[in-house]
Each structure stands twice: as structure tokens, then as C-alpha cells.
Amino acid sequence: MIDQTPSIGNLRKILSGNGCNVPGRLRHVLSAIAMFLLISACSGTFSQNSSSHQPSLPVSDCHIVKHAMGETCVPNNLQRVVVLGGLDYVLSLGIKPVGSDELEADFPHLKDKTKGIENVGSVNIPNLEKILQLKPDFILSYRDGLKENYDTLSKIAPTVIFPFEHSDKWKERLMQYAETLDRIDVAKQMITDYYARLEAFKDQMGERLNQLEVSIVRIYPNQIVVYLKDSFCGTILADAGVSRPAYQNQMGGQQDISKERIHDLDGDAMFVWTYGYNAEQAQQANSALKRLKADPLWSQLAVVKQGKVYEVPGYWIGDGPLAANAVVDDLFKYLVGEKE
């Protein structure tokens, strides 16, 4: 009997549109079949129960983790982790993943730590075939958008998807990842060191710390945004004892600012950055900052007149302890350094 099951190669040709007009519904079916065949070919048989998503490991070799999709038994001796959100956390805990979806982000504080990590997609768009090829023993994420891929990911490797939390909860996320990856002691020491650095910052700033209001501003291609006290960088300034201008000293993450309210950007010092998720957007944001600097309203700000505007990298909107410490580095560099 002739095997009429479509090959992976033929399915790829069909899905890539090689002259065939494939209806949308059929395309989805063929895509699912292709992924099923690919997973089956690489992994042989599914070793996990698709309802409980438990790996075929003795209980003594894994530990149960509760998460947004239920419970998963995470292997204790992880060797090949794929991270779909939270790369900063995993690297800070001393684990170098084999794949991540955050390699395209312009975070210079991670650049020297990501060599050898494979790109497995972008935010909420995982490259399932690439992930499968990496043969991970664990997949970790906090992206709500990946819940629809959970069953497929779980058939590739034990998978944990935590509920999304805003980046002001970065310390809680660190402990969540640390417990999952069995690195609790590392995380606790990291938090202790973080607060020790901030105490050193306060000591070096002295009384001047009580006389300083710091503004945090991001320039988009078509808008100006201030970051409030419960944003990622806002929580770090709060931990450092740094006060904020009145308008920015509120909850809400971030707020758009019109040119008519440009005075709300003012302070004794300002940290400002442009950030784009791709080269085109980054260029547009840089152009927007140049236009803002040429605006008479900008030149009227006291912080501009005093030359206390500091341009910093995009890790100010980062997420994790490595980004947090990079922000602290800037506080020492610009505020303590300014004192000296």
C-alpha cells in the first residue's frame, strides 16, 4: 500500500505558496499537520500526557511548578532551556539558554551575554520548528500570547507559562523564575546586592538626594512619554530614594505628554532615551528627539538650561535584575558623578 501522507517538504512548498491557491482554513490544517509530523519525526513519540503535560521522568528527577496553564514537572538537571520572555532573568540566574525570542531587542547590557543563543522568533510569534530543532529539555515563558501554543510547546518539552506581570514586579518575577529553575539562593543574593548598591548610592549622594527631582522620558517617533513611579525604572529610582517631579510621582506606568504640557518633563535632572523595536523605528525616534531639541519649548526647560539631560540606552524600560543594575550604574555615573 502506498503511503499517501504528505511529506514535510511538500507541505512546506504548499504553505509557502508555490503557485497553489490554498484556502485559509486548509492552510491552517496543513500547517498543523506539518508541525505534527515534524515533532513526531524529531521526538519519535510524545512522552508527555497532553492533559497534564508531565514529562516521562521519575518524580525524584523533576519538581512540580504551578503556572497559568496548570502544573508542570520541571526537570531538575536542566541543560537546554528555551526562554520566550524573561531572558534577563535567566541569564542573571547563571543559566545560558539555547534559544530566546528577545535577541532582536536593543538591550546593550545583554549583548556580551547572548553569544551562542539561537533566535527562536519574536514576541508572541515563536518559531516552533526552530525550537524543536534545538531539542530543549524545558521551555519557560511569561507571555500570555503564547497560551494558544501551549499544547504544541508542551509536546516539544515540559513548558511553563506564567501570567504576565508588568515590569514593576521584576523582583517577584525574579523569585518566580528562580524557584522554577532551582536558583533561589542566587536570586536572594542578587536582591541583597542590589539593595546594598542603592545604600552606597544614597550614602554618596548625601543631603543632595533630598533636593533632587529626576524626570524620566522616552521619545517615540510620534509621541513623548513620561515614566511614572510604578514603571520599571520608576521602581528603581524609588528604591534609590530619588524623588520625582509632581506630575510623574503617580501610578499608571507611563503617560503620554503633549507639547502643551512639555513643562511636565522638567526636573533637576532628566534621563531620556529613544528606543525602537527595529532599525526603522529607532531612526524615526532619534529624528523625533532631534526635532524636540530644536523646539523653543524644550529650550525653556530648566533642566535643559542647566545641562542636566542625560541620554541613556533602552534598558531603562528593561525587565530583570541585569537591566535594573544597568540603571543603577547610570545613577552612579550621572548623579554621583555630577556631584564630584
Side-chain angles (χ1 to χ4, degrees):
M1 181 176 181
I2 299 175
D3 184 2
Q4 298 184 7
T5 303
S7 70
I8 296 171
N10 288 336
L11 284 171
R12 283 177 179 156
K13 290 179 182 179
I14 294 173
L15 293 173
S16 64
N18 63 335
C20 298
N21 184 17
V22 183
R25 181 175 297 179
L26 179 57
R27 182 180 295 273
H28 289 304
V29 172
L30 292 174
S31 179
I33 294 173
M35 184 52 61
F36 179 88
L37 291 173
L38 192 58
I39 292 175
S40 298
C42 293
S43 61
T45 59
F46 297 151
S47 61
Q48 292 177 259
N49 182 315
S50 61
S51 62
S52 62
H53 304 286
Q54 298 300 309
S56 56
L57 290 171
V59 176
S60 59
D61 292 338
C62 62
H63 55 282
I64 297 294
V65 173
K66 295 182 179 180
H67 55 100
M69 305 303 293
E71 295 183 350
T72 295
C73 205
V74 179
N76 294 331
N77 186 27
L78 294 172
Q79 301 295 323
R80 302 182 61 80
V81 178
V82 165
V83 181
L84 305 176
L87 178 60
D88 186 308
Y89 297 97
V90 176
L91 290 172
S92 72
L93 292 168
I95 295 176
K96 189 169 186 177
V98 295
S100 172
D101 62 350
E102 294 182 302
L103 299 183
E104 296 177 359
D106 184 21
F107 291 148
H109 68 296
L110 297 181
K111 291 299 184 185
D112 62 341
K113 299 177 175 64
T114 58
K115 185 177 180 180
I117 301 176
E118 295 287 338
N119 189 334
V120 293
S122 56
V123 176
N124 289 327
I125 309 176
N127 185 331
L128 298 174
E129 183 175 338
K130 182 65 176 180
I131 293 172
L132 182 62
Q133 290 171 352
L134 290 175
K135 299 180 180 179
D137 52 17
F138 181 52
I139 300 171
L140 178 60
S141 177
Y142 65 72
R143 302 201 191 283
D144 285 339
L146 292 179
K147 290 179 180 178
E148 64 183 41
N149 297 112
Y150 180 68
D151 286 341
T152 302
L153 291 170
S154 294
K155 290 178 173 65
I156 297 173
T159 300
V160 165
I161 300 180
F162 287 115
F164 174 77
E165 295 281 357
H166 289 287
S167 55
D168 63 310
K169 304 294 185 183
W170 66 271
K171 295 167 202 161
E172 292 87 339
R173 174 73 69 207
L174 173 61
M175 296 310 300
Q176 196 173 48
Y177 271 39
E179 291 175 2
T180 301
L181 298 170
D182 195 22
R183 294 289 194 281
I184 294 177
D185 290 343
V186 176
K188 288 181 177 179
Q189 186 60 53
M190 202 175 308
I191 294 296
T192 297
D193 293 344
Y194 164 79
Y195 281 112
R197 293 193 70 201
L198 293 181
E199 287 304 314
F201 168 78
K202 294 175 184 178
D203 290 342
Q204 293 182 45
M205 287 295 292
E207 287 299 319
R208 184 170 171 272
L209 187 60
N210 301 321
Q211 305 165 5
L212 186 70
E213 289 185 351
V214 173
S215 177
I216 308 177
V217 181
R218 176 184 176 182
I219 308 301
Y220 285 77
N222 299 306
Q223 64 190 116
I224 304 169
V225 170
V226 293
Y227 281 77
L228 309 178
K229 66 180 183 179
D230 62 335
S231 63
F232 172 71
C233 46
T235 64
I236 298 167
L237 264 63
D239 289 341
V242 176
S243 298
R244 307 293 305 282
Y247 181 79
Q248 300 180 33
N249 191 36
Q250 59 176 310
M251 307 294 281
Q254 63 187 61
Q255 291 285 342
D256 294 351
I257 291 290
S258 64
K259 281 193 175 181
E260 292 72 24
R261 294 186 61 95
I262 201 171
H263 58 275
D264 288 322
L265 305 182
D266 217 345
D268 300 299
M270 179 193 295
F271 291 98
V272 61
W273 70 93
T274 61
Y275 177 73
Y277 293 102
N278 54 56
E280 181 181 0
Q281 188 184 62
Q283 181 58 48
Q284 291 174 353
N286 287 331
S287 297
L289 178 57
K290 290 179 180 179
R291 291 194 300 271
L292 180 61
K293 289 180 177 179
D295 194 304
L297 293 175
W298 173 264
S299 61
Q300 292 174 15
L301 295 175
V303 69
V304 174
K305 293 179 179 179
Q306 295 168 9
K308 301 296 177 63
V309 177
Y310 308 115
E311 294 186 34
V312 292
Y315 52 68
W316 275 67
I317 53 163
D319 183 16
L322 298 179
N325 275 288
V327 171
V328 175
D329 288 341
D330 286 340
L331 298 183
F332 275 99
K333 177 180 179 180
Y334 294 108
L335 301 185
V336 174
E338 178 183 277
K339 176 186 173 184
E340 296 172 349

